[in-house]
Amino acid sequence: MTDPLHTELLHLAREAARRAGDLLRDGRPADLSVAKTKSSPIDVVTEMDIAAEKLITDLIAEHRPDDGFLGEEGASTEGTSGVRWVIDPLDGTVNYLYGLPTWAVSIAAEQDGESVVAVVAAPMRGETFHAVRGGGAWATGAWDGERRLACRPAAPLEQALVSTGFNYVTEVRVHQSEVARKLIPLLRDIRRSGSAAVDLCDVAAGRLDGYYERGLHPWDLAAGDLIAREAGALTGGRPGERPSYDLTVAATPAVFEPLQRLLEDFGAWRD
């Protein structure tokens, strides 16, 4: 039986993600510009990132004023309820800035430090992914209704389609490109979507065999990690560690360990 609290959190997360996705899709200015930069001049924030985060946090706080927040665009409160919301209001900002469709709203609810509810809305793909811990992962599409997700059946590493992402700091991305160069001959191919949340959900949906990236923050992966795990994927960081800024890996059970070992051997966790 689903915990009533988790049901409440899921309904609220889905509503917040829907409203933020509508705002981002329908309210995108024709002359959208960069509002500020973060780690480098190409790591950008738009006015819409900021507006979407405010919409999400205002809605959740209205219903659950004692919860905490951790948001990419600055929302940070401790809360007193034991529940914290981890929010990326616009994952894939550069895609969004350029008018590319691969971007998402990512919302996770943590209880006592563990993700228990996750929602990733990808409006331009007409899909919303969601999961409750122990309840499986699901996707709702504009054309095919709701379906339960399952990662791909077992396949050897050499037949794996794997996605990755690149940091916005030049020195780091140069090293990441070298890791990718070493991996490509050992895989079916590599993809780069520009949204960690979407990549993790695509592992869950069986559209990728694996995904890895260095440099993810909690808001980048909190929702997608739970969705991938609930679909049967394995997730982690360096061997024996949880997903972290150093390294995040998500893959089918057959691909996870060999991919993780190669990433360790290639020093994917290094700057």
PDB file of all heavy atoms in Angstrom, residues 67-88:
ATOM      1  N   ASP A  67       7.895  22.371   4.644  1.00  0.00           N
ATOM      2  CA  ASP A  67       8.884  21.589   3.904  1.00  0.00           C
ATOM      3  C   ASP A  67      10.100  22.444   3.551  1.00  0.00           C
ATOM      4  O   ASP A  67      10.015  23.676   3.455  1.00  0.00           O
ATOM      5  CB  ASP A  67       8.278  21.038   2.611  1.00  0.00           C
ATOM      6  CG  ASP A  67       7.241  19.964   2.866  1.00  0.00           C
ATOM      7  OD1 ASP A  67       7.064  19.561   4.028  1.00  0.00           O
ATOM      8  OD2 ASP A  67       6.603  19.523   1.875  1.00  0.00           O
ATOM      9  N   GLY A  68      11.228  21.774   3.324  1.00  0.00           N
ATOM     10  CA  GLY A  68      12.436  22.452   2.876  1.00  0.00           C
ATOM     11  C   GLY A  68      12.566  22.424   1.363  1.00  0.00           C
ATOM     12  O   GLY A  68      11.850  21.696   0.671  1.00  0.00           O
ATOM     13  N   PHE A  69      13.507  23.220   0.852  1.00  0.00           N
ATOM     14  CA  PHE A  69      13.749  23.309  -0.589  1.00  0.00           C
ATOM     15  C   PHE A  69      15.242  23.340  -0.881  1.00  0.00           C
ATOM     16  O   PHE A  69      16.027  23.929  -0.122  1.00  0.00           O
ATOM     17  CB  PHE A  69      13.142  24.587  -1.177  1.00  0.00           C
ATOM     18  CG  PHE A  69      11.641  24.610  -1.211  1.00  0.00           C
ATOM     19  CD1 PHE A  69      10.924  25.264  -0.223  1.00  0.00           C
ATOM     20  CD2 PHE A  69      10.947  23.968  -2.224  1.00  0.00           C
ATOM     21  CE1 PHE A  69       9.543  25.297  -0.254  1.00  0.00           C
ATOM     22  CE2 PHE A  69       9.562  23.996  -2.264  1.00  0.00           C
ATOM     23  CZ  PHE A  69       8.855  24.655  -1.280  1.00  0.00           C
ATOM     24  N   LEU A  70      15.616  22.719  -1.992  1.00  0.00           N
ATOM     25  CA  LEU A  70      16.928  22.900  -2.596  1.00  0.00           C
ATOM     26  C   LEU A  70      16.691  23.041  -4.092  1.00  0.00           C
ATOM     27  O   LEU A  70      16.289  22.083  -4.752  1.00  0.00           O
ATOM     28  CB  LEU A  70      17.850  21.712  -2.312  1.00  0.00           C
ATOM     29  CG  LEU A  70      19.233  21.792  -2.973  1.00  0.00           C
ATOM     30  CD1 LEU A  70      20.032  22.966  -2.430  1.00  0.00           C
ATOM     31  CD2 LEU A  70      19.998  20.488  -2.793  1.00  0.00           C
ATOM     32  N   GLY A  71      16.918  24.246  -4.610  1.00  0.00           N
ATOM     33  CA  GLY A  71      16.653  24.495  -6.022  1.00  0.00           C
ATOM     34  C   GLY A  71      17.880  25.017  -6.731  1.00  0.00           C
ATOM     35  O   GLY A  71      18.716  25.709  -6.139  1.00  0.00           O
ATOM     36  N   GLU A  72      17.996  24.717  -8.009  1.00  0.00           N
ATOM     37  CA  GLU A  72      19.171  25.141  -8.768  1.00  0.00           C
ATOM     38  C   GLU A  72      19.307  26.650  -8.808  1.00  0.00           C
ATOM     39  O   GLU A  72      20.418  27.178  -8.778  1.00  0.00           O
ATOM     40  CB  GLU A  72      19.109  24.603 -10.201  1.00  0.00           C
ATOM     41  CG  GLU A  72      20.332  25.017 -11.009  1.00  0.00           C
ATOM     42  CD  GLU A  72      20.409  24.408 -12.378  1.00  0.00           C
ATOM     43  OE1 GLU A  72      19.375  23.928 -12.880  1.00  0.00           O
ATOM     44  OE2 GLU A  72      21.509  24.424 -12.959  1.00  0.00           O
ATOM     45  N   GLU A  73      18.193  27.357  -8.865  1.00  0.00           N
ATOM     46  CA  GLU A  73      18.269  28.807  -9.019  1.00  0.00           C
ATOM     47  C   GLU A  73      18.210  29.553  -7.689  1.00  0.00           C
ATOM     48  O   GLU A  73      17.871  30.734  -7.659  1.00  0.00           O
ATOM     49  CB  GLU A  73      17.169  29.287  -9.963  1.00  0.00           C
ATOM     50  CG  GLU A  73      17.143  28.573 -11.305  1.00  0.00           C
ATOM     51  CD  GLU A  73      18.508  28.468 -11.971  1.00  0.00           C
ATOM     52  OE1 GLU A  73      19.370  29.337 -11.731  1.00  0.00           O
ATOM     53  OE2 GLU A  73      18.728  27.501 -12.704  1.00  0.00           O
ATOM     54  N   GLY A  74      18.511  28.865  -6.591  1.00  0.00           N
ATOM     55  CA  GLY A  74      18.708  29.579  -5.339  1.00  0.00           C
ATOM     56  C   GLY A  74      17.762  29.243  -4.212  1.00  0.00           C
ATOM     57  O   GLY A  74      17.995  29.662  -3.071  1.00  0.00           O
ATOM     58  N   ALA A  75      16.679  28.511  -4.464  1.00  0.00           N
ATOM     59  CA  ALA A  75      15.764  28.152  -3.383  1.00  0.00           C
ATOM     60  C   ALA A  75      16.490  27.252  -2.392  1.00  0.00           C
ATOM     61  O   ALA A  75      16.984  26.183  -2.759  1.00  0.00           O
ATOM     62  CB  ALA A  75      14.535  27.445  -3.935  1.00  0.00           C
ATOM     63  N   SER A  76      16.569  27.673  -1.136  1.00  0.00           N
ATOM     64  CA  SER A  76      17.265  26.879  -0.124  1.00  0.00           C
ATOM     65  C   SER A  76      16.700  27.202   1.247  1.00  0.00           C
ATOM     66  O   SER A  76      16.981  28.257   1.804  1.00  0.00           O
ATOM     67  CB  SER A  76      18.775  27.151  -0.161  1.00  0.00           C
ATOM     68  OG  SER A  76      19.444  26.362   0.795  1.00  0.00           O
ATOM     69  N   THR A  77      15.894  26.292   1.786  1.00  0.00           N
ATOM     70  CA  THR A  77      15.371  26.418   3.134  1.00  0.00           C
ATOM     71  C   THR A  77      15.407  25.050   3.789  1.00  0.00           C
ATOM     72  O   THR A  77      15.255  24.018   3.119  1.00  0.00           O
ATOM     73  CB  THR A  77      13.922  26.950   3.146  1.00  0.00           C
ATOM     74  OG1 THR A  77      13.097  26.065   2.382  1.00  0.00           O
ATOM     75  CG2 THR A  77      13.836  28.349   2.559  1.00  0.00           C
ATOM     76  N   GLU A  78      15.609  25.023   5.090  1.00  0.00           N
ATOM     77  CA  GLU A  78      15.756  23.762   5.798  1.00  0.00           C
ATOM     78  C   GLU A  78      14.427  23.046   5.990  1.00  0.00           C
ATOM     79  O   GLU A  78      14.319  21.844   5.794  1.00  0.00           O
ATOM     80  CB  GLU A  78      16.413  24.010   7.163  1.00  0.00           C
ATOM     81  CG  GLU A  78      17.889  24.381   7.067  1.00  0.00           C
ATOM     82  CD  GLU A  78      18.725  23.280   6.443  1.00  0.00           C
ATOM     83  OE1 GLU A  78      18.457  22.085   6.726  1.00  0.00           O
ATOM     84  OE2 GLU A  78      19.630  23.598   5.656  1.00  0.00           O
ATOM     85  N   GLY A  79      13.389  23.764   6.413  1.00  0.00           N
ATOM     86  CA  GLY A  79      12.117  23.128   6.696  1.00  0.00           C
ATOM     87  C   GLY A  79      12.150  22.376   8.016  1.00  0.00           C
ATOM     88  O   GLY A  79      13.211  22.124   8.595  1.00  0.00           O
ATOM     89  N   THR A  80      10.973  22.008   8.484  1.00  0.00           N
ATOM     90  CA  THR A  80      10.855  21.315   9.773  1.00  0.00           C
ATOM     91  C   THR A  80      10.044  20.028   9.675  1.00  0.00           C
ATOM     92  O   THR A  80       9.850  19.343  10.684  1.00  0.00           O
ATOM     93  CB  THR A  80      10.173  22.242  10.807  1.00  0.00           C
ATOM     94  OG1 THR A  80       8.883  22.637  10.304  1.00  0.00           O
ATOM     95  CG2 THR A  80      11.012  23.479  11.070  1.00  0.00           C
ATOM     96  N   SER A  81       9.589  19.657   8.474  1.00  0.00           N
ATOM     97  CA  SER A  81       8.684  18.517   8.315  1.00  0.00           C
ATOM     98  C   SER A  81       9.388  17.191   8.056  1.00  0.00           C
ATOM     99  O   SER A  81       8.762  16.130   8.087  1.00  0.00           O
ATOM    100  CB  SER A  81       7.720  18.790   7.159  1.00  0.00           C
ATOM    101  OG  SER A  81       8.441  18.831   5.930  1.00  0.00           O
ATOM    102  N   GLY A  82      10.696  17.237   7.748  1.00  0.00           N
ATOM    103  CA  GLY A  82      11.399  16.033   7.324  1.00  0.00           C
ATOM    104  C   GLY A  82      11.331  15.795   5.833  1.00  0.00           C
ATOM    105  O   GLY A  82      11.933  14.844   5.314  1.00  0.00           O
ATOM    106  N   VAL A  83      10.605  16.663   5.105  1.00  0.00           N
ATOM    107  CA  VAL A  83      10.501  16.565   3.641  1.00  0.00           C
ATOM    108  C   VAL A  83      11.252  17.734   3.012  1.00  0.00           C
ATOM    109  O   VAL A  83      11.109  18.878   3.445  1.00  0.00           O
ATOM    110  CB  VAL A  83       9.025  16.588   3.180  1.00  0.00           C
ATOM    111  CG1 VAL A  83       8.933  16.683   1.656  1.00  0.00           C
ATOM    112  CG2 VAL A  83       8.289  15.353   3.680  1.00  0.00           C
ATOM    113  N   ARG A  84      12.069  17.428   2.011  1.00  0.00           N
ATOM    114  CA  ARG A  84      12.766  18.471   1.261  1.00  0.00           C
ATOM    115  C   ARG A  84      12.531  18.241  -0.223  1.00  0.00           C
ATOM    116  O   ARG A  84      12.630  17.127  -0.719  1.00  0.00           O
ATOM    117  CB  ARG A  84      14.270  18.462   1.550  1.00  0.00           C
ATOM    118  CG  ARG A  84      15.000  19.579   0.815  1.00  0.00           C
ATOM    119  CD  ARG A  84      16.483  19.642   1.160  1.00  0.00           C
ATOM    120  NE  ARG A  84      17.247  18.572   0.524  1.00  0.00           N
ATOM    121  CZ  ARG A  84      18.565  18.612   0.333  1.00  0.00           C
ATOM    122  NH1 ARG A  84      19.262  19.654   0.762  1.00  0.00           N
ATOM    123  NH2 ARG A  84      19.193  17.602  -0.226  1.00  0.00           N
ATOM    124  N   TRP A  85      12.241  19.315  -0.925  1.00  0.00           N
ATOM    125  CA  TRP A  85      12.026  19.284  -2.370  1.00  0.00           C
ATOM    126  C   TRP A  85      13.313  19.691  -3.080  1.00  0.00           C
ATOM    127  O   TRP A  85      13.891  20.724  -2.777  1.00  0.00           O
ATOM    128  CB  TRP A  85      10.895  20.229  -2.756  1.00  0.00           C
ATOM    129  CG  TRP A  85       9.583  19.845  -2.150  1.00  0.00           C
ATOM    130  CD1 TRP A  85       9.113  20.198  -0.915  1.00  0.00           C
ATOM    131  CD2 TRP A  85       8.582  19.020  -2.733  1.00  0.00           C
ATOM    132  NE1 TRP A  85       7.874  19.651  -0.698  1.00  0.00           N
ATOM    133  CE2 TRP A  85       7.522  18.924  -1.808  1.00  0.00           C
ATOM    134  CE3 TRP A  85       8.467  18.361  -3.963  1.00  0.00           C
ATOM    135  CZ2 TRP A  85       6.363  18.181  -2.067  1.00  0.00           C
ATOM    136  CZ3 TRP A  85       7.309  17.634  -4.227  1.00  0.00           C
ATOM    137  CH2 TRP A  85       6.280  17.541  -3.277  1.00  0.00           C
ATOM    138  N   VAL A  86      13.746  18.856  -4.018  1.00  0.00           N
ATOM    139  CA  VAL A  86      14.971  19.102  -4.786  1.00  0.00           C
ATOM    140  C   VAL A  86      14.541  19.384  -6.223  1.00  0.00           C
ATOM    141  O   VAL A  86      13.982  18.509  -6.898  1.00  0.00           O
ATOM    142  CB  VAL A  86      15.924  17.914  -4.706  1.00  0.00           C
ATOM    143  CG1 VAL A  86      17.233  18.226  -5.432  1.00  0.00           C
ATOM    144  CG2 VAL A  86      16.212  17.557  -3.245  1.00  0.00           C
ATOM    145  N   ILE A  87      14.797  20.599  -6.690  1.00  0.00           N
ATOM    146  CA  ILE A  87      14.135  21.119  -7.890  1.00  0.00           C
ATOM    147  C   ILE A  87      15.149  21.627  -8.910  1.00  0.00           C
ATOM    148  O   ILE A  87      16.023  22.436  -8.596  1.00  0.00           O
ATOM    149  CB  ILE A  87      13.198  22.288  -7.503  1.00  0.00           C
ATOM    150  CG1 ILE A  87      12.130  21.813  -6.503  1.00  0.00           C
ATOM    151  CG2 ILE A  87      12.555  22.908  -8.729  1.00  0.00           C
ATOM    152  CD1 ILE A  87      11.477  22.950  -5.760  1.00  0.00           C
ATOM    153  N   ASP A  88      15.008  21.149 -10.119  1.00  0.00           N
ATOM    154  CA  ASP A  88      15.651  21.785 -11.275  1.00  0.00           C
ATOM    155  C   ASP A  88      14.519  22.281 -12.167  1.00  0.00           C
ATOM    156  O   ASP A  88      13.872  21.492 -12.854  1.00  0.00           O
ATOM    157  CB  ASP A  88      16.540  20.813 -12.033  1.00  0.00           C
ATOM    158  CG  ASP A  88      17.422  21.526 -13.048  1.00  0.00           C
ATOM    159  OD1 ASP A  88      17.076  22.662 -13.436  1.00  0.00           O
ATOM    160  OD2 ASP A  88      18.456  20.961 -13.453  1.00  0.00           O
TER     161      ASP A  88
END
